[in-house]
Amino acid sequence: QVQLVESGGGLVQAGGSLRLSCAASGSILSIYAMGWYRQAPGKQRELVAAITSGGSTNYADSVKGRFTISRGNAKNTVYLQMNSLKPDDTAVYYCNARGSTGWGTVFDSWGQGTQVSVSP
């Protein structure tokens, strides 16, 4: 079983910055990709940013140029640097990781979510 633990959410004024962190643990053989999703009240969960094991990144159009996703040196951690935050960025942010375990199975795991609130 693979667990993801997120941290770094909070309340910030528009124009401010936050950095989210996510660490994966468990019987992990390899991680194919990690990403951040968000879900605002009354809306569907959407991809914010993702990064593959090879370092390729993908961003939602709404965050391009403002958010940066990166992997830690340990490769089981992922960060989301969020700059120039807007009230529309307010949501619960979830970390996701996909990969394979030491038992030869694949996993697609989610964190518990961290609240990001941006005031006008």
Side-chain angles (χ1 to χ4, degrees), residues 10 12 15-16 20 29-30 35 38 47 55 74 78-79 86 89 100 110-111 113 120:
V12 65
L20 304 183
L29 181 61
S30 66
R38 67 186 181 188
L47 174 68
V78 66
Y79 306 101
K86 305 175 182 179
D89 294 319
S100 59
W110 294 88

Side-chain angles (χ1 to χ4, degrees), residues 19-38:
R19 187 182 192 226
L20 304 183
S21 301
C22 173
S25 63
S27 183
I28 299 170
L29 181 61
S30 66
I31 294 180
Y32 308 147
M34 298 185 78
W36 290 95
Y37 291 71
R38 67 186 181 188

Side-chain angles (χ1 to χ4, degrees), residues 34-37 47-52 55-61 63-64 69 80:
M34 298 185 78
W36 290 95
Y37 291 71
L47 174 68
V48 176
I51 186 167
T52 68
S56 298
T57 58
N58 182 37
Y59 294 93
D61 288 343
V63 307
K64 284 180 181 177
I69 189 170
L80 185 68

Side-chain angles (χ1 to χ4, degrees), residues 37 40 72 77 80 94 107:
Y37 291 71
T77 56
L80 185 68
Y94 297 90
F107 67 88

Side-chain angles (χ1 to χ4, degrees), residues 24 47 62-63 72 83-84 96 107 111:
L47 174 68
S62 59
V63 307
N83 298 328
S84 303
N96 172 263
F107 67 88

